[in-house]
Amino acid sequence: MINDVLAGLTLFIDPFSLIALAFGVLIGVFIGAIPGMSTVMAISIVLPFTFTLEPIAGILLLLGVYKGGMYGGSISAILINTPGTPAASCTMLDGYPMAKQGRARAALEMSLYASCFGDMISNIVLILCAAWLASFALDFGPPELFALVVFALIIVAGVAAQQIVKGFIAMTLGLGLATIGRDLITGTERFAFGNVDLSGGLSLVPVLIGLFALPEVFQIYRERHGAPKIQLAQIGRQGMGLKSFLSHWRTLLRGSVFGVILGVIPGLGPTPAAFLSYGSARRKSKDPDSFGKGNIDGVAAAESANSAVGGSSMVPLLALGIPGDVISAVILGAFMIHGLQPGPLMFQSNIDIIYALFFGLIAGALLLFLIGKSTIPLLSRVLNLRSSLLLPMVLVLCVFGSFAVNKSMFDVLVMFSMGVFGYIMVAYDFPRAPLLIGFVLGPLLENNLRQSLLMSQGDWAFFFQSPISLLFWSFTLIYLAVSVTSRYRKSRN
Amino acid sequence: MKDFIVGVVITAFAATALLWLIPTQVAPGYGGGAALSPRFWPTVIAVVILLLGAVLSAQALLRLRRKASARETRTETAATPATAPESSPWAVWTAVFMLVPYYYLSLQLGLLLSSVLAYVAYSTLAGERNVASILAFAIAGPLVLTLFFIIVAQVLIPLGPLSSIY
């Protein structure tokens, strides 16, 4: 084993691999921070460049982009209320209010430190527990996944809304939007109205951009007093010291655990982990009412969880050859391009590459800290622009970003439509995050429901047979009961 | 009152989906039980939205009744009306409707030229009066984005009449 570790270290400390990793983190932070450009897009752009690189350098480049993108998505979420990734929509709940209060630097630094913390915990767990976590993931079949996703959606709808009914309505509308396109099993069109573009369904990026970016652009016109010098939230000077950061260790550790456990389950992605961690932090907080109004624990909970998913989502990829999300699927493609087949055999035939990747993941967390810290002062220069100059540029960027996903003007139309819809939601106090999460998880939910019914030949009791399913149904009922009761008591007081 | 109307609208939308949208836009499945039909999941969602819309309306109605009965028992005092923040609804609607020409100009002129024009329009509407800044950003921003997507991201941006250049 020592020889394997040393062989992995030798592969990793190649200067070219380190440069590729650093470059990947830098690209990921930069692209993730731009509204309209997602981590998936960043990885897709970078993938062709990996063809000519050595396997380790190529894969570390992609992993660096992934890590940087997860943090980068929170930058735009905090500064202009537009998440760069769906998971960052949870960071936005408290990050943006903090920025409006002049505490943007503290929010950004907590986001960065929490990302690095969660990432490091996840990497260590990956290295120590890959085999055990893979067997845990194998226990999740369609009924278990269905119960888990229902639980995650209930949490999201509950934490993101002042009125729980509005949260559920938004979430269900998101589920409904996800049905547009083709039925997963029969292939028949749903709500396409004979339109070829609609029969392909709605893409995530235009929906995400439209829902979150455009309402912010419209907001400056709503609040316009005829004064052109409306300033956006300043970065501020007050940062976050080490002692202050460590005082949130419980939230950070809890978030990391959520991220590690949920990251292992294929298909979930970082978003449910972020929201579950956020909901948990709020419940355990001495001041739960301050969540959603600039509580730094909210940022810590969301970011530690969504970054902790990164390392553990590599577990099903490396141990089983099953990609956990879109990004892992792209990384799987990179492995295969270099003649490597992730899975149990890889731990025997290419163990040195596995260890090199482990070292790369740990180094990536450190590089993320260094690169992320250095970008914060640069961001203040961008934000010193007047909103009358900056936000129209955001609109233009969103148009380009929406077009670039599928090279289709239809996506730009979707983005505009969702923008108007998002603005109406804001005007009527409906939260947008549950709609987005419902849209993202809708296909997974439907797929697992119908697969379960196929397996059980229509027997609904199948959803309540396994201990894991029963555990998540219990969590769901308990959460609903506690949530409804506490809101009822609050309204009476 | 706002929530009550929104709840009614949502309930009406869900009812429309159940009675018209789903039967006309989703073909029924063949065999395998109702739960495996392509209509099943949209129907479940529509029923849930209908129920939630009704709950929202009911909650809003209860709140209105509670406020009304609280007003009856409270002694009326002259209240200073809260000053509403200045807002420009016409500016918002203009910004929203400007998306339509932006989209159609993109189809005709390409993304670069239409974005330049859109930037000038939106920036002016937002109250920016520094013409030099508007023009500088209007040209530089879309141009940089176009070059980035074409050269770095290898995404062919529609350029309309400028497509002969690249």
Side-chain angles (χ1 to χ4, degrees):
Chain A
M1 185 185 160
I2 302 287
N3 289 338
D4 295 330
V5 173
L6 287 172
L9 187 62
T10 311
L11 278 175
F12 167 68
I13 59 173
D14 175 49
F16 206 65
S17 300
L18 288 167
I19 292 169
L21 181 63
F23 203 54
V25 172
L26 188 64
I27 293 172
V29 171
F30 174 69
I31 291 185
I34 300 173
M37 300 189 72
S38 61
T39 308
V40 175
M41 192 188 291
I43 287 197
S44 307
I45 291 169
V46 166
L47 179 63
F49 296 107
T50 67
F51 296 165
T52 54
L53 298 175
E54 290 295 313
I56 295 297
I59 291 163
L60 286 179
L61 176 62
L62 294 176
L63 287 175
V65 172
Y66 185 19
K67 284 175 188 291
M70 293 310 294
Y71 167 62
S74 69
I75 296 175
S76 55
I78 289 167
L79 296 178
I80 54 174
N81 207 32
T82 303
T85 59
S89 57
C90 189
T91 309
M92 187 177 70
L93 295 176
D94 278 282
Y96 185 62
M98 282 184 70
K100 296 275 272 190
Q101 292 160 15
R103 296 156 59 209
R105 184 180 287 270
L108 287 168
E109 287 185 353
M110 174 54 94
S111 173
L112 174 63
Y113 301 161
S115 290
C116 295
F117 183 91
D119 191 30
M120 192 61 89
I121 296 283
S122 178
N123 294 334
I124 293 169
V125 169
L126 167 68
I127 292 164
L128 297 175
C129 308
W132 179 81
L133 285 171
S135 66
F136 170 70
L138 281 176
D139 287 338
F140 272 74
E144 289 81 9
L145 274 172
F146 179 78
L148 174 59
V149 175
V150 167
F151 176 56
L153 287 173
I154 299 287
I155 296 274
V156 168
V159 302
Q162 290 294 325
Q163 279 183 269
I164 200 168
V165 173
K166 288 188 172 178
F168 281 127
I169 290 174
M171 184 262 290
T172 319
L173 285 172
L175 293 176
L177 279 178
T179 62
I180 297 173
R182 289 197 177 272
D183 178 72
L184 294 163
I185 293 175
T186 64
T188 50
E189 283 183 359
R190 292 195 296 201
F191 310 113
F193 297 92
N195 183 297
V196 166
D197 291 310
L198 273 176
S199 67
L202 304 179
S203 290
L204 170 63
V205 170
V207 170
L208 171 70
I209 296 169
L211 209 51
F212 289 97
L214 253 58
E216 300 313 311
V217 174
F218 295 147
Q219 199 71 8
I220 62 164
Y221 300 101
R222 183 168 176 261
E223 291 167 1
R224 179 171 161 261
H225 297 263
K229 291 188 182 178
I230 301 165
Q231 290 287 339
L232 286 175
Q234 294 298 309
I235 292 280
R237 292 182 187 278
Q238 180 107 28
M240 160 143 294
L242 178 65
K243 202 174 167 187
S244 177
F245 169 69
L246 290 174
S247 67
H248 300 276
W249 69 270
R250 283 189 191 84
T251 303
L252 292 163
L253 198 57
R254 195 185 313 122
S256 302
V257 169
F258 272 113
V260 164
I261 293 175
L262 292 181
V264 171
I265 300 164
L268 271 187
T271 311
F275 277 93
L276 282 169
S277 171
Y278 184 89
S280 173
R282 192 167 92 163
R283 276 194 309 280
K284 295 197 186 312
S285 169
K286 287 175 191 162
D287 186 15
D289 287 338
S290 64
F291 275 68
K293 295 171 190 158
N295 190 322
I296 201 165
D297 253 347
V299 175
E303 279 298 308
S304 57
N306 81 28
S307 290
V309 166
S312 62
S313 70
M314 299 295 291
V315 170
L317 177 65
L318 292 176
L320 304 171
I322 300 169
D325 54 16
V326 173
I327 292 168
S328 303
V330 177
I331 295 174
L332 174 65
F335 271 104
M336 291 166 73
I337 285 163
H338 292 286
L340 299 167
Q341 182 58 54
L345 288 178
M346 194 169 173
F347 279 80
Q348 292 164 357
S349 55
N350 297 104
I351 188 70
D352 52 342
I353 291 180
I354 298 282
Y355 278 114
L357 287 176
F358 287 165
F359 284 118
L361 286 168
I362 291 173
L366 296 169
L367 280 168
L368 175 64
F369 176 78
L370 293 169
I371 291 171
K373 198 105 166 92
S374 61
T375 58
I376 291 173
L378 293 173
L379 291 168
S380 63
R381 298 221 181 121
V382 173
L383 285 188
N384 275 334
L385 284 173
R386 293 188 289 279
S387 57
S388 53
L389 289 173
L390 183 62
L391 288 180
M393 191 57 68
V394 170
L395 172 64
V396 169
L397 177 59
C398 291
V399 169
F400 275 77
S402 300
F403 175 83
V405 178
N406 296 309
K407 302 168 195 60
S408 164
M409 285 302 296
F410 176 72
D411 284 336
V412 176
L413 191 60
V414 168
M415 190 265 291
F416 283 166
S417 306
M418 291 308 301
V420 175
F421 188 68
Y423 185 73
I424 293 170
M425 288 182 79
V426 171
Y428 287 94
D429 301 321
F430 277 83
R432 291 165 286 169
L435 188 148
L436 179 71
I437 306 311
F439 180 76
V440 169
L441 294 180
L444 186 69
L445 191 66
E446 184 187 1
N447 209 19
N448 284 294
L449 170 70
R450 293 167 81 181
Q451 276 184 3
S452 304
L453 289 171
L454 274 169
M455 286 161 66
S456 67
Q457 294 176 333
D459 182 10
W460 288 89
F462 188 58
F463 289 98
F464 305 97
Q465 284 175 358
S466 83
I468 296 175
S469 300
L470 285 172
L471 185 69
F472 283 109
W473 287 124
S474 311
F475 286 161
T476 305
L477 285 171
I478 291 168
Y479 178 80
L480 275 172
V482 167
S483 198
V484 168
T485 313
S486 66
R487 282 171 203 247
Y488 176 71
R489 276 196 201 134
K490 213 179 288 182
S491 68
R492 288 292 290 239
N493 289 340
Chain B
M1 192 58 170
K2 199 167 73 169
D3 281 355
F4 176 74
I5 295 171
V6 168
V8 168
V9 168
I10 289 171
T11 309
F13 167 73
T16 309
L18 279 169
L19 297 172
W20 175 74
L21 199 61
I22 293 171
T24 57
Q25 294 301 320
V26 186
Y30 299 100
L36 296 171
S37 158
R39 287 184 180 174
F40 173 69
W41 187 237
T43 305
V44 168
I45 292 170
V47 168
V48 171
I49 293 177
L50 190 141
L51 291 171
L52 288 171
V55 168
L56 185 66
S57 297
Q59 279 182 339
L61 209 57
L62 276 169
R63 274 199 303 273
L64 282 169
R65 283 196 182 155
R66 255 188 245 135
K67 269 189 198 162
S69 61
R71 248 185 263 130
E72 278 168 16
T73 53
R74 209 183 298 143
T75 315
E76 282 191 31
T77 52
T80 313
T83 47
E86 263 188 73
S87 65
S88 302
W90 71 266
V92 178
W93 289 116
T94 308
V96 169
F97 284 118
M98 268 165 42
L99 294 176
V100 176
Y102 188 3
Y103 177 74
Y104 282 104
L105 276 175
S106 301
L107 294 174
Q108 304 301 321
L109 302 179
L111 278 183
L112 175 58
L113 287 175
S114 61
S115 296
V116 170
L117 294 170
Y119 185 90
V120 172
Y122 276 101
S123 194
T124 309
L125 183 67
E128 183 59 46
R129 293 292 174 258
N130 187 326
V131 175
S133 296
I134 294 176
L135 288 176
F137 279 92
I139 294 168
L143 188 61
V144 165
L145 284 171
T146 301
L147 292 173
F148 171 79
F149 277 104
I150 291 177
I151 296 171
V152 178
Q154 301 280 300
V155 172
L156 275 177
I157 299 293
L159 295 173
L162 299 177
S163 46
S164 54
I165 296 173
Y166 194 92

